[in-house]
Amino acid sequence: MIFSLHPGWFALAAALVLTVIGIMAIGTASAEYAEVQLRWVPVSLIVMFMVMLVPVKQIGRSSSILLGLCLVLLLILVIPGMPTWLVPPRNGARCWINLHVMNFQPSELTKIAFVLAIAWYLRYRDNYRTLLGMLLPFIFMLLPVAMILKQPDLGMSLLFAPALFAMLVAAGARMSHLSALAGLAVMAVVLNIAIIYTLPNSMQVLKPHQINRIKSMISQAQGDNRYIKDIGYQQDKAMTLIGAGRLEGYGTGQSRTIIAFNRLPESHNDMIFPVIINRWGFIGGVAVIGIYLVFALSFLAVALRSKDPFSKLATVGFAALMFTQAVINIGMTMGLLPITGLTLPFVSYGGSSLLTSYVVVGLVMNFASQRPAIVARPAFEFDNADAIFQ
Amino acid sequence: MFHRRLLLLIGVLFLLAGVMVLQLFNLTLVQGARLRVKAEDALSETTLVPTVRGKVMDRKGRLLAVDVPSDDIAVNYRAITGEWAYRRAREVVFNANRQRWSELGYDERERLIEEAEKPFDLQLETLWKTLCAAGGFDRAEMESRKALIIERVQKIAVSVSINQQTMFDDPAQSAIGDVREQRLPHAVLTGVDEKSVARIRQLMVQAKSEPSLEVWQQVSIQPSKTRSYPLETLTVTLDRKAMPSPLRSEEPLTLTVEGVGTHALGILRSVWRADITGRPFGSGEREDKAADLGGYLPGDRTGAWGIEKSMEPLLRGLRGSLTRRLDTQAEEVISPVPGQDVTLTLDIALQARVQAIMDARTGLMKVQEWNSKDLSDNPLRPQLGEPLNGAAVVIDIATGEVLAAVSMPGMPLKTLREDPDKILKDQINRPYINRAVGQAFQPGSTVKPLVLAAAVTDRKIGYNETVDCEGHLLPNNLLKYRCWIFKQYHRTHGPLEGPEAIARSCNIFFYTMGRRLGAQRLVAWYDRFGVGRINGCGLSEEIKGDLPSSADATAPHARGFSVDDAINMGIGQGPIQWTPLQAAGAYATLMRGGIYIAPTFIKSPQDPARKPVSLDLDPKGIEMAKQGLDMAVNAKIGTANHLAMLNNELIITAPGVKAMGKSGTAEPPDLRVDTNDDGRITRDDEVVRKGDHAWFMVVVQGEKSARPQYVIAVVVEYGGMGAAVAGPVANQIILALREEGYF
């Protein structure tokens, strides 16, 4: 049953191809990390297999407990005065709990637990078809998001809303409510940008507020500003290395030299995409984006085939989660989005990240391999069937 | 419904993927070529190799300006800003409180650091004081030097940040970060003497073992180059036997003259913003910048004036660069191109002699009793014993080369270094002006030989034709256009032929010539003699003087073309002013038989544009002018013959030479300075000087020479009578030429 044929296999295949590309790219950036990453692959696959064996109902039932546990862990991170042997700060952020075997990032687990819990919560309801009912899960979402933002881990916190949104779309929340919500989000972003760019040609001619800004930055220059500076430096380097890849990339040897001498920070980790493009060029980049598309589409196919409303929603949530993470990571390396610390799923170096990604694949494989229930109410078909089942 | 919603999500997925592919396309295929160059730039590292500025030599090959190796004392940027003390204090506090560091709050940490900072601040203060002592300036000067360095580095940091902003098109994505200059030492003392360097080096060694001296680890000694002017100060011995009797002495006078040739030679200064924008440095590293290794970087030196400025592009040379590929270790070397040497026409020994002659201590350029009858009737005239300003130019007639060009008051480098305001802010005496080329004076009677030659050539007067001097030009107006002899003694010259009119310096004769020639012809003639235009002597301070523009001649009410102007210009008054160099050039032209050669300061490299031009003067006219000049000096009737106020002592006494010449007493407008500080000099400003400019032009030839060899032009600003004031100076210059072996 586990090994029955279903679209989940496409997702797994895509994940494995991305992992291989990732290890090759990590090897280009820094060889020693590739080896470590390679060791995490069997671990991740074993965990994935174990996840595939857990009954779906049990996953659903324990999802809220899991989320509660995650929230406690997140609380540990944000409570001030935690000993550094337990919560080692890294680059000024407290995202990690030291488990001595490995560093564990509770937010990684939280995003999975969140999707599962929301899917479990929404599965037989229809109150989200009212405005208030739809807003409830969003309000609940603010709890983990706020704690993750406090760490601070902006990148991770950005993943929750799109996943929830996608789940609500799939679950059949009213489009008018959803578009209103989306409109509000867009307006918030636009307002923010408008405040920054009060004047359209501000880049050409320095305006007083920019001059003041520069002045204040000069005073900052005397103090500690490495964090801010890294952002600009990193993105510049990332875009340069991407562009330098041109159509076909440099190939391994030369790419290694170019990357080494351009001193791209986090080149094996958050900044792995520039390494890929530098090595394989535009062609390689299109391939990687295409594979992510295949990955997300096969998830959606799984959701379509599944009869279990919990599985359906969770799978859609995971598809949105993983694809959004990839888009944010790639977007920031190409200068489309501001830099936030976020890994490229399956590709970036990091055991924790790889493991989490394969757990997601395991869950979806699990959902996909369930035998369809014989009698089941077609889930989330609100437009035509409401009368029959009420 | 569910599958329709999924289709919507799929649509979003494709949209996002599409946006990413588009941006990827933009970066790799649209901007790819540029970004590839940029990425590969990181593989190479370029260091600049300094070049050597060209030497400047005088006509006899003596070094006037040369780069000499010297040492700069540089201090790390963080010590200059004082941040070093904070950082060290923080380290100390951190090490002492390592265990409980995380428990200490921000305020507590800052308090401890502030306390620990004091000894380090004290070390810094001692460092600056020591360096001030080594540099021989005060603490305020050091502070201003530090401020300049900080300003410059911050500018670089800001420009780097702005570049990043433009690149990301997002101000939030960049900030003022570390630039290389913030980690480097910067020179605070340049050209330090060996003794101080040795002492600083000793402190730097001690700093390694002595904690109380550790700030000296922030100091480094950098080899560099200083511009040296070895012959700027020279000692001259003057023979006083041929001086006017009150100054005559059997004892020679030994003088140390400073600032020899400084007006013409110039010095170096730090570059200004305009220099950098005018010729920015480009290493060729970045694809958007043209490579100009000779371009200016902040802190570079450039010529401030004189030859150092005008010959800057030649003298400067090109930096070299050493580009190392970091991956292959391949090196690409562009050798520096040393600056070209420049040889001047000046004879620095003669220059020093002329300067000594014109030094106030010698006495000739000081107001003396025999200068004028009415010395004290006007308080705005230079008073008895007061030093006079002026200029003297000596040029070689055959080549037009300037052998000496002295402008008084001078500009000793020592004063420029120690008390620059004394030179740069003296609005009355304006020592910073090179009066030999950069100041125009009314020529007065010195133009008369030129006017005669021109009038004869234009057939405005016959070879033996006379003009009757009745004391005034206009029959019924006794107050306008008078002859000097009429004004002073109420006498007349009677009928005069051209040569005698020159010798007696008759105004009526030359008023008449002016009227007959007309303003247009006069302006044309003056122009051909080199007046009213830049002739390209090689110094950027050269001015064109004043002359109505021939182009305006036909315009209605054009300035300078009235009959009055013509009459005035006939005797070198009215709308005409020339520089001493132009005066000497015009006389040399006459002596060459009407061949104009632009006077020059540059012997090599030669200016190919400098070609002789014939004025097509009537040889007979030239002959008459020369005859007049001869009589003026050598005949009893000549105005340049004797000192009337000093028992008729001869002016030109130099033995073994044949001299001829012309005196001139020109009436300039009063000298005003900007007393009301409105940035302009107008009638509202106070008059600080009145009086006449004293001119004396002399042409000399050695006994062995067949033709005139040198022209000497002397002008003394507001000095009074030409013959009495400028004449003895010219006589001494002839003797100086003799001393230096020119006859």
Coordinates of all heavy atoms in Angstrom, one line a residue, chain B residues 602-645:
Chain B
I602 N 60.1 78.7 -21.1 CA 60.4 77.3 -21.3 C 61.4 77.1 -22.4 O 61.2 77.4 -23.5 CB 59.1 76.5 -21.7 CG1 57.9 77.0 -20.9 CG2 59.3 75.0 -21.7 CD1 57.7 76.4 -19.6
K603 N 62.5 76.5 -22.0 CA 63.6 76.2 -23.0 C 63.3 74.8 -23.6 O 63.4 74.7 -24.8 CB 64.9 76.2 -22.3 CG 66.1 76.3 -23.2 CD 67.4 76.8 -22.5 CE 68.6 76.8 -23.4 NZ 68.5 77.8 -24.5
S604 N 63.0 73.9 -22.8 CA 62.6 72.6 -23.3 C 61.6 71.9 -22.4 O 61.7 72.1 -21.2 CB 63.8 71.7 -23.6 OG 64.0 70.9 -22.4
P605 N 60.6 71.2 -22.9 CA 60.3 71.0 -24.3 C 59.8 72.2 -25.0 O 59.0 73.0 -24.4 CB 59.2 69.9 -24.2 CG 58.6 70.1 -22.9 CD 59.6 70.6 -22.0
Q606 N 60.2 72.4 -26.2 CA 59.9 73.7 -26.9 C 58.4 73.7 -27.4 O 57.9 72.6 -27.8 CB 60.8 73.9 -28.1 CG 62.1 74.5 -27.6 CD 63.0 75.0 -28.7 OE1 62.8 74.7 -29.9 NE2 64.0 75.8 -28.4
D607 N 57.9 74.8 -27.4 CA 56.5 75.0 -27.9 C 56.6 75.2 -29.4 O 57.1 76.2 -29.9 CB 55.9 76.2 -27.3 CG 54.5 76.5 -27.7 OD1 54.0 75.7 -28.5 OD2 53.9 77.5 -27.3
P608 N 56.0 74.2 -30.2 CA 56.2 74.3 -31.7 C 55.4 75.5 -32.3 O 55.7 75.9 -33.4 CB 55.6 73.0 -32.1 CG 54.7 72.5 -31.0 CD 55.3 73.0 -29.8
A609 N 54.5 76.0 -31.5 CA 53.6 77.1 -32.0 C 54.4 78.4 -32.0 O 53.9 79.4 -32.5 CB 52.3 77.2 -31.2
R610 N 55.5 78.4 -31.4 CA 56.2 79.7 -31.2 C 57.1 80.0 -32.4 O 58.2 79.4 -32.6 CB 57.1 79.5 -29.9 CG 57.4 80.8 -29.2 CD 58.0 80.6 -27.9 NE 59.0 81.6 -27.6 CZ 60.3 81.5 -27.8 NH1 60.8 80.3 -28.2 NH2 61.1 82.5 -27.6
K611 N 56.6 80.8 -33.3 CA 57.3 81.1 -34.5 C 57.5 82.6 -34.7 O 56.7 83.4 -34.3 CB 56.5 80.6 -35.7 CG 56.2 79.1 -35.7 CD 56.7 78.5 -37.1 CE 56.8 77.0 -37.0 NZ 55.6 76.4 -36.7
P612 N 58.6 83.0 -35.3 CA 58.9 84.5 -35.5 C 57.9 85.0 -36.5 O 57.5 84.3 -37.5 CB 60.3 84.5 -36.1 CG 60.9 83.2 -35.9 CD 59.8 82.2 -35.8
V613 N 57.4 86.2 -36.3 CA 56.4 86.9 -37.2 C 57.0 88.2 -37.5 O 57.4 89.0 -36.6 CB 55.0 87.0 -36.5 CG1 54.0 87.7 -37.4 CG2 54.5 85.7 -36.0
S614 N 57.0 88.6 -38.8 CA 57.5 89.9 -39.2 C 56.4 90.9 -39.1 O 55.3 90.7 -39.5 CB 58.1 89.9 -40.6 OG 58.4 91.2 -40.9
L615 N 56.7 92.1 -38.5 CA 55.8 93.2 -38.4 C 55.8 94.1 -39.7 O 55.0 95.0 -39.8 CB 56.0 94.1 -37.2 CG 55.4 93.6 -35.9 CD1 55.7 92.2 -35.5 CD2 55.7 94.6 -34.8
D616 N 56.8 93.8 -40.6 CA 57.0 94.7 -41.8 C 57.1 96.1 -41.4 O 56.5 97.0 -42.0 CB 55.8 94.5 -42.8 CG 55.8 93.1 -43.3 OD1 56.9 92.5 -43.5 OD2 54.7 92.5 -43.4
L617 N 58.0 96.4 -40.5 CA 58.3 97.8 -40.1 C 59.2 98.4 -41.1 O 60.1 97.7 -41.7 CB 58.9 97.9 -38.7 CG 57.9 97.7 -37.5 CD1 58.7 97.5 -36.3 CD2 56.9 98.8 -37.4
D618 N 59.1 99.7 -41.4 CA 60.0 100.4 -42.2 C 61.4 100.4 -41.5 O 61.5 100.9 -40.4 CB 59.5 101.8 -42.4 CG 60.4 102.6 -43.4 OD1 61.6 102.2 -43.6 OD2 59.9 103.6 -43.9
P619 N 62.4 99.9 -42.2 CA 63.8 99.8 -41.5 C 64.2 101.2 -41.1 O 64.9 101.4 -40.1 CB 64.7 99.3 -42.6 CG 63.8 98.6 -43.5 CD 62.5 99.3 -43.5
K620 N 63.8 102.2 -41.8 CA 64.3 103.6 -41.5 C 63.6 104.0 -40.2 O 64.1 104.7 -39.3 CB 63.9 104.5 -42.6 CG 64.2 106.0 -42.4 CD 65.7 106.2 -42.4 CE 66.0 107.7 -42.1 NZ 67.3 108.0 -41.6
G621 N 62.3 103.6 -40.1 CA 61.5 103.9 -38.8 C 62.2 103.2 -37.6 O 62.4 103.9 -36.6
I622 N 62.6 102.0 -37.8 CA 63.3 101.3 -36.7 C 64.6 102.0 -36.4 O 65.0 102.2 -35.2 CB 63.6 99.8 -37.1 CG1 62.3 99.1 -37.3 CG2 64.5 99.1 -36.1 CD1 62.5 97.7 -37.9
E623 N 65.3 102.4 -37.4 CA 66.6 103.1 -37.2 C 66.4 104.4 -36.4 O 67.1 104.7 -35.5 CB 67.2 103.4 -38.6 CG 68.6 103.7 -38.6 CD 69.4 102.7 -37.7 OE1 69.3 101.5 -37.9 OE2 70.1 103.2 -36.8
M624 N 65.3 105.1 -36.8 CA 65.0 106.4 -36.1 C 64.7 106.1 -34.6 O 65.1 106.8 -33.7 CB 63.8 107.1 -36.7 CG 64.2 107.7 -38.1 SD 62.7 108.2 -39.0 CE 62.1 109.6 -38.1
A625 N 63.9 105.0 -34.4 CA 63.5 104.7 -33.0 C 64.8 104.4 -32.2 O 65.0 104.8 -31.0 CB 62.6 103.5 -33.0
K626 N 65.7 103.6 -32.8 CA 66.9 103.2 -32.1 C 67.8 104.4 -31.8 O 68.3 104.5 -30.7 CB 67.7 102.2 -33.0 CG 67.3 100.8 -32.9 CD 68.2 100.0 -33.8 CE 68.0 98.5 -33.7 NZ 68.9 97.8 -34.6
Q627 N 67.8 105.3 -32.8 CA 68.6 106.5 -32.6 C 68.1 107.3 -31.4 O 68.8 107.8 -30.6 CB 68.5 107.3 -33.9 CG 69.6 108.3 -34.1 CD 69.3 109.1 -35.4 OE1 68.6 108.7 -36.3 NE2 69.8 110.3 -35.5
G628 N 66.7 107.4 -31.3 CA 66.1 108.1 -30.2 C 66.4 107.4 -28.9 O 66.8 108.1 -27.9
L629 N 66.4 106.1 -28.9 CA 66.7 105.4 -27.6 C 68.2 105.6 -27.2 O 68.5 105.7 -26.0 CB 66.5 103.9 -27.8 CG 65.0 103.4 -27.9 CD1 64.9 102.0 -28.4 CD2 64.3 103.6 -26.6
D630 N 69.0 105.6 -28.2 CA 70.5 105.9 -28.0 C 70.6 107.2 -27.3 O 71.3 107.4 -26.3 CB 71.2 105.8 -29.3 CG 72.7 105.8 -29.1 OD1 73.1 105.7 -27.9 OD2 73.4 105.9 -30.1
M631 N 70.0 108.2 -27.9 CA 70.1 109.6 -27.4 C 69.6 109.7 -26.1 O 70.1 110.5 -25.2 CB 69.4 110.6 -28.4 CG 70.2 110.9 -29.6 SD 69.2 111.6 -30.9 CE 68.9 113.3 -30.2
A632 N 68.4 109.1 -25.8 CA 67.8 109.2 -24.5 C 68.7 108.8 -23.4 O 68.7 109.4 -22.3 CB 66.5 108.3 -24.5
V633 N 69.6 107.8 -23.6 CA 70.5 107.3 -22.6 C 71.8 108.1 -22.7 O 72.4 108.4 -21.6 CB 70.7 105.8 -22.7 CG1 71.8 105.3 -21.8 CG2 69.4 105.1 -22.3
N634 N 72.3 108.2 -23.9 CA 73.7 108.7 -24.0 C 73.9 110.1 -24.3 O 75.0 110.6 -24.2 CB 74.4 107.8 -25.1 CG 74.3 106.3 -24.7 OD1 74.6 106.0 -23.6 ND2 73.9 105.5 -25.7
A635 N 72.8 110.9 -24.7 CA 73.0 112.3 -24.9 C 72.6 113.1 -23.7 O 71.7 112.7 -22.9 CB 72.1 112.7 -26.1
K636 N 73.2 114.2 -23.5 CA 72.9 115.0 -22.3 C 71.5 115.4 -22.3 O 70.9 115.6 -21.2 CB 73.8 116.3 -22.5 CG 74.5 116.8 -21.4 CD 75.3 116.8 -20.4 CE 75.6 117.1 -19.1 NZ 76.1 115.9 -18.5
I637 N 70.8 115.6 -23.5 CA 69.5 116.0 -23.5 C 68.5 114.9 -23.2 O 67.3 115.1 -23.0 CB 69.1 116.6 -24.9 CG1 69.4 115.5 -26.0 CG2 69.8 117.9 -25.2 CD1 68.5 115.5 -27.2
G638 N 69.0 113.6 -23.1 CA 68.1 112.5 -22.9 C 67.5 112.4 -21.5 O 68.1 112.8 -20.5
T639 N 66.2 112.0 -21.5 CA 65.5 111.9 -20.2 C 66.0 110.7 -19.4 O 65.7 110.6 -18.2 CB 64.0 111.8 -20.4 OG1 63.8 110.8 -21.4 CG2 63.4 113.1 -20.9
A640 N 66.7 109.8 -20.1 CA 67.2 108.6 -19.4 C 68.7 108.7 -19.2 O 69.3 107.7 -19.0 CB 66.8 107.3 -20.2
N641 N 69.2 109.9 -19.2 CA 70.6 110.0 -19.2 C 71.2 110.2 -17.8 O 72.1 109.6 -17.4 CB 71.0 111.2 -20.1 CG 72.5 111.5 -20.0 OD1 72.9 112.4 -19.3 ND2 73.3 110.7 -20.7
H642 N 70.5 111.1 -17.0 CA 71.1 111.4 -15.7 C 70.1 111.6 -14.7 O 68.9 111.7 -14.9 CB 72.0 112.7 -15.9 CG 71.2 113.8 -16.5 ND1 71.2 114.1 -17.8 CD2 70.3 114.7 -15.9 CE1 70.4 115.1 -18.1 NE2 69.8 115.5 -16.9
L643 N 70.5 111.5 -13.4 CA 69.7 111.7 -12.3 C 69.7 113.2 -11.9 O 70.6 113.7 -11.3 CB 70.1 110.9 -11.1 CG 70.2 109.4 -11.3 CD1 70.9 108.7 -10.1 CD2 68.8 108.8 -11.4
A644 N 68.6 113.9 -12.4 CA 68.6 115.4 -12.2 C 68.6 115.8 -10.7 O 69.1 116.8 -10.4 CB 67.3 115.9 -12.8
M645 N 68.1 114.9 -9.9 CA 68.0 115.3 -8.5 C 69.3 114.9 -7.7 O 69.4 115.1 -6.5 CB 66.9 114.5 -7.8 CG 65.5 114.7 -8.4 SD 64.7 116.1 -7.7 CE 64.6 115.6 -6.0

